Amino acid sequence: MIYQVAIKSLPQDWLWCETWCDDESKQRAKTIDLCNNPKTKEPKLKAAARIVPEWVEYDTEIRQLLDHLENKKKNAILTHDEL
């Protein structure tokens, strides 16, 4: 199949990665790859918070939602056990 269909690379704007893209091009990025940077060995979540500032807000919101769902599940189990 690869010989019948031409495969082309996407421009950097479609997949920005800190390892091989510059900071200026990040502003035009359509997606950001939070890949491991072999130079820094920085943990992914720490890098995400640094590279994508709104990440901290998203992460907090998701954690709160997960806590809420876990509490709701526990309450449902307790209520069911009382029956």
Coordinates of all heavy atoms in Angstrom, one line a residue:
M1 N 0.8 -1.2 0.0 CA 0.0 0.0 0.0 C 0.9 1.3 0.0 O 0.5 2.2 -0.6 CB -0.9 0.0 1.2 CG -1.9 1.1 1.3 SD -3.2 0.8 0.2 CE -4.4 1.8 0.7
I2 N 2.0 1.2 0.7 CA 2.8 2.4 0.8 C 3.4 2.8 -0.5 O 3.8 4.0 -0.8 CB 3.9 2.3 1.9 CG1 4.9 1.2 1.5 CG2 3.3 2.2 3.2 CD1 6.1 1.2 2.4
Y3 N 3.5 1.9 -1.5 CA 4.0 2.2 -2.8 C 2.9 2.7 -3.7 O 3.2 3.3 -4.7 CB 4.6 0.9 -3.4 CG 5.8 0.4 -2.6 CD1 5.7 -0.8 -1.9 CD2 6.9 1.1 -2.5 CE1 6.7 -1.2 -1.1 CE2 8.0 0.7 -1.7 CZ 7.9 -0.5 -1.0 OH 8.9 -1.0 -0.2
Q4 N 1.6 2.6 -3.3 CA 0.5 3.0 -4.1 C 0.0 4.4 -3.7 O -0.6 5.1 -4.4 CB -0.6 2.0 -4.1 CG -0.2 0.7 -4.7 CD -1.2 -0.4 -4.5 OE1 -2.2 -0.2 -3.8 NE2 -1.0 -1.6 -5.0
V5 N 0.2 4.7 -2.4 CA -0.4 5.9 -1.8 C 0.8 6.8 -1.4 O 1.6 6.3 -0.6 CB -1.3 5.7 -0.7 CG1 -1.8 7.0 -0.1 CG2 -2.5 4.8 -1.1
A6 N 0.9 8.0 -1.9 CA 2.0 8.9 -1.5 C 1.8 9.3 0.0 O 0.7 9.7 0.4 CB 2.0 10.1 -2.4
I7 N 2.9 9.2 0.8 CA 2.8 9.6 2.2 C 3.7 10.9 2.3 O 4.8 10.9 1.8 CB 3.4 8.5 3.1 CG1 2.6 7.2 3.0 CG2 3.5 9.0 4.5 CD1 3.1 6.0 3.7
K8 N 3.1 11.8 2.9 CA 3.7 13.1 3.1 C 3.8 13.5 4.5 O 2.9 13.2 5.3 CB 3.0 14.2 2.2 CG 3.0 13.9 0.8 CD 2.4 15.0 0.0 CE 2.3 14.6 -1.4 NZ 3.0 15.2 -2.4
S9 N 4.8 14.2 4.9 CA 4.9 14.7 6.3 C 4.0 15.9 6.5 O 3.9 16.7 5.6 CB 6.3 15.0 6.7 OG 7.1 13.8 6.6
L10 N 3.5 16.1 7.7 CA 2.7 17.3 8.0 C 3.7 18.4 8.3 O 4.7 18.1 8.9 CB 1.8 17.0 9.1 CG 0.6 16.1 8.8 CD1 -0.2 15.8 10.1 CD2 -0.4 16.8 7.9
P11 N 3.3 19.6 8.1 CA 4.1 20.8 8.6 C 4.2 20.8 10.1 O 3.3 20.2 10.8 CB 3.4 22.0 8.1 CG 2.3 21.5 7.1 CD 2.1 20.1 7.4
Q12 N 5.2 21.4 10.7 CA 5.4 21.5 12.1 C 4.2 22.1 12.8 O 3.9 21.8 14.0 CB 6.6 22.3 12.5 CG 7.9 21.5 12.3 CD 9.1 22.3 12.8 OE1 9.0 23.4 13.2 NE2 10.3 21.6 12.7
D13 N 3.5 23.0 12.1 CA 2.3 23.6 12.7 C 1.2 22.6 13.2 O 0.5 22.8 14.1 CB 1.6 24.5 11.7 CG 2.4 25.8 11.4 OD1 3.5 25.9 12.0 OD2 2.0 26.6 10.6
W14 N 1.2 21.4 12.6 CA 0.3 20.4 12.9 C 0.7 19.6 14.1 O -0.2 19.0 14.8 CB 0.0 19.5 11.7 CG -0.9 20.1 10.7 CD1 -0.6 20.9 9.6 CD2 -2.3 20.1 10.8 NE1 -1.7 21.3 9.0 CE2 -2.8 20.9 9.7 CE3 -3.3 19.6 11.7 CZ2 -4.2 21.1 9.5 CZ3 -4.6 19.8 11.5 CH2 -5.0 20.6 10.4
L15 N 1.9 19.5 14.4 CA 2.4 18.7 15.6 C 3.6 19.3 16.1 O 4.7 19.0 15.7 CB 2.6 17.2 15.2 CG 3.0 16.3 16.4 CD1 1.8 16.3 17.4 CD2 3.2 14.9 15.9
W16 N 3.4 20.2 17.1 CA 4.6 20.9 17.7 C 5.1 20.1 18.8 O 4.4 19.5 19.6 CB 4.1 22.3 18.3 CG 5.2 23.1 18.8 CD1 5.9 24.0 18.1 CD2 5.7 23.1 20.1 NE1 6.8 24.6 18.9 CE2 6.7 24.1 20.2 CE3 5.4 22.4 21.3 CZ2 7.4 24.3 21.3 CZ3 6.1 22.7 22.4 CH2 7.1 23.6 22.4
C17 N 6.4 20.0 18.9 CA 7.1 19.2 20.0 C 8.3 20.1 20.4 O 9.1 20.5 19.6 CB 7.5 17.8 19.6 SG 8.3 16.9 20.9
E18 N 8.4 20.2 21.7 CA 9.5 21.1 22.3 C 10.9 20.5 21.8 O 11.8 21.3 21.7 CB 9.4 21.1 23.8 CG 10.4 22.0 24.4 CD 10.2 22.0 25.9 OE1 10.0 21.0 26.6 OE2 10.2 23.1 26.5
T19 N 11.0 19.2 21.6 CA 12.3 18.7 21.3 C 12.8 19.2 20.0 O 14.0 19.4 19.9 CB 12.2 17.1 21.3 OG1 11.7 16.7 22.5 CG2 13.5 16.5 21.0
W20 N 12.0 19.3 19.0 CA 12.5 19.7 17.7 C 11.9 20.9 17.1 O 12.2 21.4 16.0 CB 12.3 18.5 16.7 CG 10.9 18.1 16.4 CD1 10.1 18.8 15.5 CD2 10.2 17.0 16.9 NE1 8.9 18.1 15.5 CE2 8.9 17.0 16.3 CE3 10.5 16.0 17.8 CZ2 8.0 16.1 16.7 CZ3 9.6 15.1 18.1 CH2 8.3 15.1 17.5
C21 N 11.0 21.6 17.8 CA 10.4 22.8 17.3 C 10.8 24.0 18.2 O 11.0 23.9 19.4 CB 8.8 22.7 17.3 SG 8.2 21.4 16.3
D22 N 10.8 25.2 17.6 CA 11.1 26.4 18.4 C 9.9 27.0 19.1 O 8.8 26.7 18.7 CB 11.9 27.4 17.5 CG 11.1 27.9 16.4 OD1 9.8 27.8 16.4 OD2 11.6 28.5 15.4
D23 N 10.1 27.9 20.0 CA 9.0 28.5 20.8 C 8.1 29.3 19.9 O 6.9 29.4 20.2 CB 9.6 29.3 22.0 CG 10.1 28.4 23.1 OD1 9.7 27.2 23.1 OD2 10.9 28.9 23.9
E24 N 8.7 30.0 18.9 CA 8.0 30.9 18.1 C 6.9 30.1 17.3 O 5.8 30.5 17.2 CB 8.9 31.6 17.1 CG 8.2 32.6 16.2 CD 9.1 33.2 15.2 OE1 10.2 33.6 15.6 OE2 8.8 33.3 14.0
S25 N 7.2 28.9 16.9 CA 6.3 28.1 16.1 C 5.2 27.5 16.9 O 4.1 27.1 16.4 CB 7.0 27.0 15.3 OG 7.6 26.1 16.2
K26 N 5.3 27.5 18.3 CA 4.3 27.0 19.1 C 3.0 27.8 19.1 O 1.9 27.2 19.2 CB 4.8 26.9 20.6 CG 3.8 26.3 21.5 CD 4.4 26.1 22.9 CE 4.3 27.4 23.7 NZ 4.7 27.2 25.1
Q27 N 3.1 29.1 18.8 CA 1.9 29.9 18.7 C 1.0 29.5 17.6 O -0.2 29.8 17.6 CB 2.3 31.4 18.6 CG 3.0 31.9 19.9 CD 3.5 33.3 19.7 OE1 3.2 34.0 18.8 NE2 4.4 33.7 20.7
R28 N 1.6 28.9 16.5 CA 0.8 28.5 15.3 C 0.4 27.1 15.4 O -0.3 26.6 14.5 CB 1.7 28.8 14.1 CG 2.0 30.2 13.8 CD 2.7 30.4 12.5 NE 3.9 29.5 12.3 CZ 5.1 29.8 12.8 NH1 5.4 30.9 13.4 NH2 6.1 28.9 12.5
A29 N 0.8 26.4 16.4 CA 0.6 24.9 16.5 C -0.9 24.6 16.6 O -1.6 25.2 17.4 CB 1.3 24.3 17.7
K30 N -1.3 23.6 15.9 CA -2.7 23.1 15.9 C -2.8 22.0 17.0 O -3.8 21.8 17.6 CB -3.1 22.6 14.6 CG -3.2 23.7 13.5 CD -3.4 23.2 12.2 CE -3.5 24.2 11.1 NZ -2.5 25.3 11.1
T31 N -1.7 21.3 17.2 CA -1.6 20.3 18.3 C -0.2 20.4 18.9 O 0.7 20.7 18.3 CB -1.8 18.8 17.8 OG1 -0.8 18.5 16.8 CG2 -3.2 18.6 17.2
I32 N -0.2 20.0 20.2 CA 1.1 20.0 20.9 C 1.4 18.6 21.5 O 0.6 18.1 22.2 CB 1.1 21.1 22.1 CG1 1.0 22.5 21.5 CG2 2.4 20.9 22.9 CD1 0.8 23.6 22.5
D33 N 2.5 18.1 21.1 CA 2.9 16.8 21.5 C 3.7 16.9 22.8 O 4.7 17.5 22.9 CB 3.8 16.1 20.5 CG 4.2 14.7 20.8 OD1 3.9 14.2 21.9 OD2 4.8 14.0 20.0
L34 N 3.1 16.4 23.9 CA 3.8 16.5 25.2 C 4.7 15.3 25.4 O 4.7 14.6 26.4 CB 2.8 16.6 26.3 CG 1.9 17.8 26.3 CD1 0.7 17.7 27.3 CD2 2.6 19.1 26.4
C35 N 5.6 15.2 24.4 CA 6.6 14.1 24.4 C 7.6 14.3 25.5 O 7.8 15.4 26.0 CB 7.2 14.0 23.0 SG 8.0 15.5 22.5
N36 N 8.3 13.2 25.8 CA 9.4 13.3 26.7 C 10.6 14.0 26.0 O 10.9 13.6 24.9 CB 9.9 11.9 27.2 CG 8.9 11.3 28.2 OD1 8.3 12.0 29.0 ND2 8.8 10.0 28.2
N37 N 11.2 14.9 26.7 CA 12.3 15.6 26.1 C 13.6 14.9 26.7 O 13.9 14.9 27.8 CB 12.3 17.1 26.5 CG 13.5 17.8 25.9 OD1 14.5 17.3 25.4 ND2 13.3 19.1 25.8
P38 N 14.3 14.2 25.8 CA 15.4 13.4 26.2 C 16.5 14.3 26.8 O 17.4 13.8 27.6 CB 15.9 12.7 25.0 CG 15.3 13.4 23.8 CD 14.1 14.1 24.3
K39 N 16.5 15.5 26.5 CA 17.6 16.4 27.0 C 17.3 16.8 28.5 O 18.3 16.9 29.3 CB 17.6 17.7 26.2 CG 18.0 17.6 24.8 CD 17.9 18.9 24.1 CE 18.2 18.7 22.6 NZ 18.0 20.0 21.9
T40 N 16.1 16.9 28.9 CA 15.8 17.4 30.3 C 15.3 16.3 31.2 O 15.4 16.4 32.4 CB 14.7 18.5 30.2 OG1 13.5 17.9 29.7 CG2 15.1 19.6 29.4
K41 N 14.7 15.2 30.6 CA 14.1 14.1 31.4 C 13.1 14.6 32.4 O 12.8 14.1 33.4 CB 15.2 13.4 32.2 CG 16.3 12.9 31.3 CD 16.4 11.4 31.3 CE 17.7 10.9 30.6 NZ 17.6 10.5 29.3
E42 N 12.4 15.8 32.1 CA 11.4 16.4 32.9 C 10.1 15.5 32.9 O 9.7 15.0 31.8 CB 11.1 17.8 32.3 CG 10.1 18.5 33.1 CD 9.8 19.9 32.5 OE1 10.1 20.1 31.3 OE2 9.4 20.8 33.2
P43 N 9.5 15.3 34.0 CA 8.3 14.5 34.0 C 7.2 15.2 33.2 O 7.1 16.4 33.1 CB 7.8 14.5 35.5 CG 9.1 14.8 36.3 CD 9.9 15.7 35.4
K44 N 6.4 14.3 32.5 CA 5.4 14.8 31.5 C 4.4 15.8 32.1 O 4.1 16.8 31.5 CB 4.6 13.7 30.9 CG 5.4 13.0 29.8 CD 4.5 12.0 29.1 CE 5.2 11.4 27.9 NZ 4.4 10.7 27.0
L45 N 3.9 15.6 33.3 CA 2.9 16.5 33.9 C 3.5 17.9 34.2 O 2.9 18.9 34.1 CB 2.2 15.9 35.1 CG 1.3 14.7 34.8 CD1 0.7 14.2 36.1 CD2 0.2 15.1 33.9
K46 N 4.8 17.8 34.7 CA 5.5 19.1 35.0 C 5.7 19.9 33.7 O 5.5 21.1 33.6 CB 6.8 18.8 35.7 CG 7.5 20.0 36.2 CD 8.7 19.6 37.0 CE 9.4 20.8 37.5 NZ 10.6 20.5 38.3
A47 N 6.1 19.1 32.6 CA 6.3 19.8 31.3 C 5.0 20.3 30.8 O 5.0 21.4 30.2 CB 7.0 18.8 30.4
A48 N 4.0 19.6 30.9 CA 2.7 20.0 30.4 C 2.3 21.3 31.0 O 1.8 22.3 30.4 CB 1.6 18.9 30.7
A49 N 2.4 21.5 32.4 CA 2.1 22.7 33.1 C 3.0 23.9 32.6 O 2.5 25.0 32.5 CB 2.2 22.5 34.6
R50 N 4.2 23.6 32.2 CA 5.1 24.6 31.8 C 4.8 25.0 30.3 O 4.8 26.2 29.9 CB 6.5 24.2 31.9 CG 7.6 25.2 31.5 CD 9.0 24.7 31.7 NE 9.2 23.3 31.1 CZ 9.4 23.1 29.8 NH1 9.3 24.1 28.9 NH2 9.6 21.9 29.4
I51 N 4.6 24.0 29.5 CA 4.4 24.3 28.0 C 3.0 24.8 27.7 O 2.8 25.6 26.9 CB 4.7 23.0 27.2 CG1 6.1 22.5 27.4 CG2 4.3 23.1 25.8 CD1 6.4 21.1 26.9
V52 N 2.0 24.3 28.4 CA 0.6 24.7 28.2 C 0.0 25.2 29.5 O -0.4 24.5 30.3 CB -0.2 23.4 27.7 CG1 -1.7 23.8 27.4 CG2 0.4 22.7 26.6
P53 N 0.1 26.6 29.6 CA -0.3 27.2 30.9 C -1.7 26.8 31.4 O -1.8 26.6 32.6 CB -0.2 28.7 30.6 CG 0.7 28.8 29.5 CD 0.5 27.5 28.7
E54 N -2.6 26.6 30.5 CA -4.0 26.3 31.0 C -4.1 24.8 31.5 O -5.1 24.4 32.0 CB -5.0 26.6 29.9 CG -4.8 25.9 28.6 CD -4.0 26.7 27.6 OE1 -3.1 27.5 28.0 OE2 -4.2 26.5 26.4
W55 N -3.0 24.0 31.3 CA -3.0 22.6 31.7 C -3.3 22.5 33.2 O -4.1 21.6 33.6 CB -1.7 22.0 31.4 CG -1.6 20.6 31.8 CD1 -1.3 20.1 33.0 CD2 -1.9 19.5 31.0 NE1 -1.4 18.7 33.0 CE2 -1.8 18.3 31.8 CE3 -2.4 19.3 29.7 CZ2 -2.0 17.0 31.3 CZ3 -2.6 18.1 29.2 CH2 -2.4 16.9 30.0
V56 N -2.8 23.4 34.0 CA -3.0 23.3 35.5 C -4.5 23.4 35.8 O -5.1 22.6 36.6 CB -2.2 24.4 36.2 CG1 -2.5 24.4 37.7 CG2 -0.7 24.2 36.0
E57 N -5.2 24.3 35.1 CA -6.6 24.5 35.4 C -7.4 23.3 34.9 O -8.3 22.8 35.6 CB -7.1 25.7 34.6 CG -8.6 26.0 34.8 CD -9.0 27.3 34.0 OE1 -8.2 28.1 33.6 OE2 -10.2 27.4 33.8
Y58 N -7.1 22.8 33.7 CA -7.7 21.5 33.2 C -7.5 20.4 34.1 O -8.4 19.6 34.4 CB -7.2 21.2 31.8 CG -7.5 22.2 30.7 CD1 -6.7 22.3 29.6 CD2 -8.6 23.1 30.8 CE1 -6.9 23.2 28.6 CE2 -8.8 24.0 29.8 CZ -8.0 24.1 28.7 OH -8.2 25.0 27.7
D59 N -6.3 20.2 34.6 CA -5.9 19.1 35.4 C -6.7 19.1 36.7 O -7.2 18.1 37.2 CB -4.4 19.0 35.7 CG -3.9 17.8 36.3 OD1 -4.3 16.7 35.9 OD2 -3.2 17.9 37.3
T60 N -6.8 20.3 37.3 CA -7.5 20.5 38.6 C -9.0 20.2 38.4 O -9.6 19.5 39.2 CB -7.3 22.0 39.1 OG1 -5.9 22.2 39.3 CG2 -8.1 22.2 40.3
E61 N -9.6 20.7 37.3 CA -11.0 20.4 37.0 C -11.2 18.9 36.8 O -12.2 18.4 37.4 CB -11.4 21.2 35.7 CG -12.8 21.1 35.4 CD -13.2 21.9 34.2 OE1 -12.4 22.9 33.8 OE2 -14.2 21.6 33.6
I62 N -10.4 18.2 36.1 CA -10.6 16.8 35.9 C -10.4 16.0 37.2 O -11.2 15.1 37.5 CB -9.6 16.2 34.9 CG1 -9.9 16.8 33.5 CG2 -9.6 14.7 34.8 CD1 -11.3 16.5 32.9
R63 N -9.4 16.4 38.0 CA -9.3 15.8 39.4 C -10.5 16.0 40.2 O -10.9 15.0 40.9 CB -8.0 16.3 40.0 CG -6.7 15.8 39.4 CD -5.5 16.4 40.1 NE -4.3 16.2 39.3 CZ -3.6 15.1 39.5 NH1 -3.9 14.1 40.3 NH2 -2.5 14.9 38.7
Q64 N -11.1 17.2 40.2 CA -12.3 17.4 41.0 C -13.4 16.6 40.5 O -14.2 16.1 41.3 CB -12.6 18.9 41.0 CG -11.7 19.8 41.7 CD -11.9 21.3 41.5 OE1 -12.6 21.7 40.6 NE2 -11.2 22.1 42.3
L65 N -13.6 16.5 39.2 CA -14.6 15.7 38.6 C -14.5 14.2 39.0 O -15.4 13.5 39.4 CB -14.7 15.8 37.1 CG -15.7 14.9 36.4 CD1 -17.1 15.2 36.8 CD2 -15.5 15.0 34.9
L66 N -13.2 13.7 39.0 CA -13.0 12.3 39.4 C -13.3 12.1 40.8 O -13.9 11.0 41.2 CB -11.5 11.9 39.0 CG -11.2 11.8 37.5 CD1 -9.7 11.6 37.4 CD2 -12.0 10.7 36.9
D67 N -12.9 13.0 41.7 CA -13.2 12.9 43.1 C -14.7 12.9 43.3 O -15.2 12.1 44.1 CB -12.6 14.1 43.9 CG -11.1 14.0 44.0 OD1 -10.5 12.9 43.8 OD2 -10.5 15.0 44.4
H68 N -15.4 13.8 42.6 CA -16.9 13.8 42.7 C -17.5 12.5 42.3 O -18.4 12.0 43.0 CB -17.4 15.0 41.9 CG -18.9 15.0 41.8 ND1 -19.7 15.5 42.8 CD2 -19.7 14.6 40.7 CE1 -21.0 15.4 42.4 NE2 -21.0 14.9 41.2
L69 N -17.1 12.0 41.2 CA -17.6 10.7 40.7 C -17.3 9.5 41.7 O -18.2 8.7 41.9 CB -17.1 10.4 39.3 CG -17.6 11.3 38.2 CD1 -16.9 11.0 36.9 CD2 -19.1 11.3 38.1
E70 N -16.1 9.6 42.3 CA -15.7 8.5 43.2 C -16.6 8.6 44.5 O -17.1 7.6 45.0 CB -14.3 8.7 43.6 CG -13.7 7.6 44.5 CD -13.8 6.2 43.8 OE1 -13.6 6.1 42.6 OE2 -13.9 5.2 44.6
N71 N -16.8 9.8 45.0 CA -17.7 10.0 46.1 C -19.1 9.6 45.9 O -19.8 9.0 46.7 CB -17.6 11.5 46.6 CG -16.3 11.8 47.3 OD1 -15.6 10.9 47.8 ND2 -15.9 13.1 47.2
K72 N -19.6 9.9 44.7 CA -21.0 9.6 44.3 C -21.1 8.0 44.2 O -22.1 7.5 44.7 CB -21.3 10.2 42.9 CG -22.7 10.1 42.5 CD -22.9 10.9 41.2 CE -24.3 10.9 40.8 NZ -24.5 11.7 39.6
K73 N -20.1 7.4 43.7 CA -20.1 5.9 43.6 C -20.1 5.3 45.0 O -20.8 4.4 45.3 CB -18.8 5.4 42.9 CG -18.8 4.0 42.7 CD -17.5 3.6 41.8 CE -17.3 2.1 41.7 NZ -16.1 1.8 41.0
K74 N -19.2 5.8 45.9 CA -19.2 5.3 47.3 C -20.5 5.5 48.0 O -21.0 4.6 48.7 CB -18.1 6.1 48.1 CG -16.7 5.6 47.8 CD -15.7 6.4 48.5 CE -14.3 6.1 48.1 NZ -13.3 6.9 48.8
N75 N -21.2 6.7 47.8 CA -22.5 6.9 48.4 C -23.5 6.0 47.9 O -24.4 5.5 48.6 CB -22.9 8.4 48.2 CG -22.1 9.4 49.0 OD1 -21.5 9.0 50.1 ND2 -22.0 10.6 48.6
A76 N -23.5 5.7 46.6 CA -24.4 4.8 46.0 C -24.2 3.4 46.6 O -25.2 2.7 46.9 CB -24.3 4.7 44.5
I77 N -23.0 3.0 46.8 CA -22.7 1.6 47.4 C -23.2 1.6 48.8 O -23.9 0.6 49.2 CB -21.2 1.3 47.3 CG1 -20.8 1.1 45.9 CG2 -20.9 0.1 48.2 CD1 -19.3 1.0 45.6
L78 N -23.0 2.7 49.6 CA -23.5 2.7 51.0 C -25.0 2.7 51.1 O -25.6 2.0 51.9 CB -22.9 4.0 51.7 CG -21.4 4.0 52.0 CD1 -21.1 5.4 52.6 CD2 -21.1 2.9 53.0
T79 N -25.6 3.4 50.2 CA -27.1 3.5 50.1 C -27.6 2.1 49.8 O -28.6 1.6 50.4 CB -27.6 4.5 49.1 OG1 -27.0 5.8 49.5 CG2 -29.1 4.6 49.1
H80 N -27.0 1.4 48.8 CA -27.4 0.1 48.4 C -27.3 -0.9 49.5 O -28.1 -1.8 49.7 CB -26.6 -0.4 47.2 CG -27.1 -1.7 46.6 ND1 -26.5 -2.8 47.0 CD2 -28.0 -2.0 45.7 CE1 -27.1 -3.9 46.4 NE2 -28.0 -3.4 45.6
D81 N -26.2 -0.8 50.3 CA -25.9 -1.8 51.4 C -26.9 -1.6 52.5 O -27.2 -2.5 53.2 CB -24.5 -1.6 51.9 CG -23.4 -2.1 51.0 OD1 -23.8 -2.8 50.0 OD2 -22.3 -1.8 51.2
E82 N -27.5 -0.4 52.7 CA -28.5 -0.1 53.7 C -29.8 -0.8 53.4 O -30.6 -1.0 54.3 CB -28.6 1.4 53.9 CG -27.4 2.0 54.5 CD -27.5 3.5 54.6 OE1 -28.5 4.1 54.1 OE2 -26.5 4.1 55.0
L83 N -30.1 -1.1 52.1 CA -31.3 -1.7 51.7 C -31.3 -3.1 52.1 O -31.7 -3.9 52.6 CB -31.6 -1.6 50.2 CG -31.6 -0.2 49.7 CD1 -31.8 -0.2 48.1 CD2 -32.9 0.6 50.2

